[in-house]
């Protein structure tokens, strides 16, 4: 059951998929339509899952699920992963690699491998004040408060002096 992301409870579970490139406006429209279709049909043991989504900065797909109503099951999570994998193939984009880091450079969103990010930290090309995207947040409250944070406030801090 598709609902607006903004009306989901703060404790709703989130999954964040970061793309290794920005999506075009046309791709965003298509992806949003595919997300609507997927979420309308998304169920757990035959029960509708109250969910919403956002596409943020033309690069992040955020899916949220109100687990107070019906919790995700292994099968429903598998279905969402399969859906994201289909998007990867269709748009020739990487959405599942957790070993990549996205961060802000002014208004631009940069995307680097974790190895390159570590090198940049050593070279002082990124700092504790660099705004990073902490895709490990688990619910909407954390997404709002701790997703877009200075590197010093995220797991990224271990690479910075």
């Amino acid at each position: 059951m598709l609902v607006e992301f903004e009306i989901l409870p703060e404790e709703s579970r989130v999954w964040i998929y970061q793309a290794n490139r920005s999506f075009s406006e046309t791709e965003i429209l298509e992806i949003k339509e595919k997300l609507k279709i997927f979420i309308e049909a998304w169920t757990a043991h035959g029960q509708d899952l109250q969910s919403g989504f956002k596409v943020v900065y033309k690069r992040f797909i955020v899916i949220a699920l109100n687990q107070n109503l019906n919790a995700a099951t292994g099968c429903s999570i598998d279905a969402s992963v399969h859906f994201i994998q289909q998007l990867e193939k269709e748009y020739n984009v990487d959405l599942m690699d957790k070993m990549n880091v996205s961060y802000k450079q002014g208004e631009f969103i940069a995307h680097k491998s974790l190895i390159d990010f570590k090198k940049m930290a050593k070279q002082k090309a990124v700092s504790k004040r660099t705004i990073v995207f902490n895709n490990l947040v688990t619910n909407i409250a954390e997404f709002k408060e701790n997703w877009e944070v200075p590197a010093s406030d995220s797991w990224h801090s271990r690479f910075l002096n």
Side-chain angles (χ1 to χ4, degrees):
M1 162 186 6
L2 176 65
V3 297
E4 291 296 318
F5 187 94
E6 287 71 24
I7 70 162
L8 288 165
E10 296 278 292
E11 63 274 10
S12 296
R13 184 170 177 186
V14 295
W15 292 270
I16 301 170
Y17 301 96
Q18 72 180 2
N20 60 337
R21 65 170 176 82
S22 294
F23 292 114
S24 71
E25 292 298 331
T26 302
E27 288 174 326
I28 290 171
L29 291 173
E30 291 173 1
I31 288 167
K32 284 181 175 181
E33 201 54 43
K34 291 174 193 306
L35 279 159
K36 287 177 188 173
I37 293 166
F38 170 74
I39 289 174
E40 281 293 344
W42 198 23
T43 61
H45 298 300
Q47 300 293 311
D48 282 346
L49 295 174
Q50 187 183 57
S51 307
F53 69 87
K54 292 177 107 163
V55 177
V56 187
Y57 294 122
K58 298 182 181 182
R59 190 179 281 267
F60 299 91
I61 297 172
V62 184
I63 298 174
L65 168 65
N66 178 359
Q67 296 204 113
N68 295 335
L69 209 57
N70 287 307
T73 61
C75 292
S76 58
I77 292 170
D78 287 349
S80 67
V81 168
H82 180 72
F83 169 75
I84 295 295
Q85 289 170 330
Q86 287 299 111
L87 291 179
E88 284 184 316
K89 288 179 191 161
E90 192 169 338
Y91 294 97
N92 193 26
V93 65
D94 182 359
L95 293 164
M96 302 284 288
D97 191 342
K98 303 293 185 204
M99 297 305 291
N100 292 323
V101 176
S102 290
Y103 59 96
K104 282 188 171 180
Q105 285 186 318
E107 290 304 305
F108 179 72
I109 307 298
H111 181 86
K112 299 286 183 198
S113 70
L114 189 55
I115 292 167
D116 287 343
F117 186 81
K118 288 178 187 177
K119 288 178 189 171
M120 292 177 69
K122 281 185 182 170
Q123 298 164 352
K124 307 282 191 229
V126 291
S127 73
K128 292 180 180 188
R129 292 188 314 273
T130 299
I131 301 298
V132 296
F133 296 93
N134 178 10
N135 297 324
L136 300 179
V137 297
T138 60
N139 60 44
I140 289 179
E142 288 179 7
F143 175 74
K144 289 177 179 175
E145 296 295 317
N146 298 316
W147 177 57
E148 208 173 314
V149 293
S152 60
D153 296 342
S154 175
W155 63 268
H156 304 82
S157 65
R158 71 183 82 160
F159 307 121
L160 304 163
N161 297 339

